Amino acid sequence: VEEGFGAEGGERSRVVVSEHAKCAARLLGVQDSALDSALCTRKIKATVEDQYEVSMTTQQAIHSRDALAKAVYTALFASLVKQVNASLDDGTPASTAVLKCSVLDIFGFEFFQVNRFEQLCINYANEKLQQYFVHFVFELEQREYIAEGIDWKQVAFIDNRECLALIEGKPLGVLPILDEQCIV
């Protein structure tokens, strides 16, 4: 995406014609001009019948490009996991319940100069995974040991429910407040 100027002298953007842009359009199954239009313009509905196409600034087009890249990456990753899981399924009921491809970042949180929404979402997902792990490995297993009368030493663990309530709790969690602000 590069800067250009429209007939009225206002800033507008366009996709720089390059082998990378042509390859991206080909892989997405669209014409070069359709990719340029999708990344560099937006449609505004004035009324039900009236719709206008407006050029985006270079910065807006860069955000559009980045959003498309994230969406493609997400879809590609989901497709890859689905294919791996399908290849592990041998048709028996146990294979669908046991053999799954999953990804978990075990190295904890990363520290950045500026934390962005994406990092909050990553940290939130990690906390949810931690809660799931603690619930199944510690809480349920320990209950089962007690029920079966197994002699063992109680394992102490940190319950992160308060952290999750801070992020997702309604009505004062971070995510519900963000949702409310987006509606306004």
Side-chain angles (χ1 to χ4, degrees):
V1 177
E2 75 175 4
E3 209 171 296
F5 296 92
E8 290 82 34
E11 182 188 2
R12 69 171 192 79
S13 58
R14 69 178 182 87
V15 173
V16 176
V17 179
S18 69
E19 288 306 311
H20 297 294
K22 288 179 182 180
C23 182
R26 183 175 49 80
L27 290 172
L28 290 169
V30 298
Q31 296 292 321
D32 296 357
S33 59
L35 179 62
D36 183 80
S37 178
L39 294 176
C40 299
T41 62
R42 59 190 165 104
K43 292 183 176 22
I44 297 176
K45 269 189 163 180
T47 65
V48 176
E49 298 88 24
D50 294 329
Q51 183 170 303
Y52 301 95
E53 191 169 279
V54 179
S55 293
M56 288 193 231
T57 66
T58 301
Q59 193 60 43
Q60 291 170 327
I62 288 169
H63 288 303
S64 181
R65 177 205 60 198
D66 293 350
L68 176 62
K70 288 177 185 178
V72 168
Y73 179 83
T74 299
L76 179 61
F77 184 77
S79 175
L80 178 64
V81 170
K82 184 178 179 181
Q83 289 177 18
V84 169
N85 286 337
S87 73
L88 294 173
D89 183 4
D90 65 1
T92 63
S95 70
T96 58
V98 177
L99 299 175
K100 290 290 180 190
C101 173
S102 301
V103 177
L104 173 61
D105 178 3
I106 61 170
F107 297 108
F109 298 111
E110 299 156 327
F111 294 95
F112 298 101
Q113 291 295 328
V114 175
N115 283 304
R116 303 196 187 286
F117 183 69
E118 289 91 348
Q119 189 60 39
L120 172 67
C121 292
I122 291 167
N123 291 350
Y124 173 57
N126 284 340
E127 288 297 323
K128 290 294 276 189
L129 288 170
Q130 177 67 24
Q131 182 187 45
Y132 182 84
F133 177 82
V134 164
H135 176 69
F136 280 96
V137 172
F138 294 119
E139 290 180 29
L140 296 180
E141 287 297 315
Q142 291 187 86
R143 279 191 222 151
E144 191 172 321
Y145 287 175
I146 291 169
E148 293 179 10
I150 298 173
D151 185 30
W152 62 285
K153 184 178 179 180
Q154 181 84 14
V155 176
F157 58 88
I158 297 173
D159 188 346
N160 66 345
R161 288 184 188 144
E162 289 180 9
C163 177
L164 288 171
L166 180 66
I167 297 171
E168 68 185 4
K170 293 181 180 179
L172 298 176
V174 173
L175 295 178
I177 290 172
L178 285 173
D179 280 345
E180 183 179 321
Q181 291 304 308
C182 290
I183 293 171
V184 173

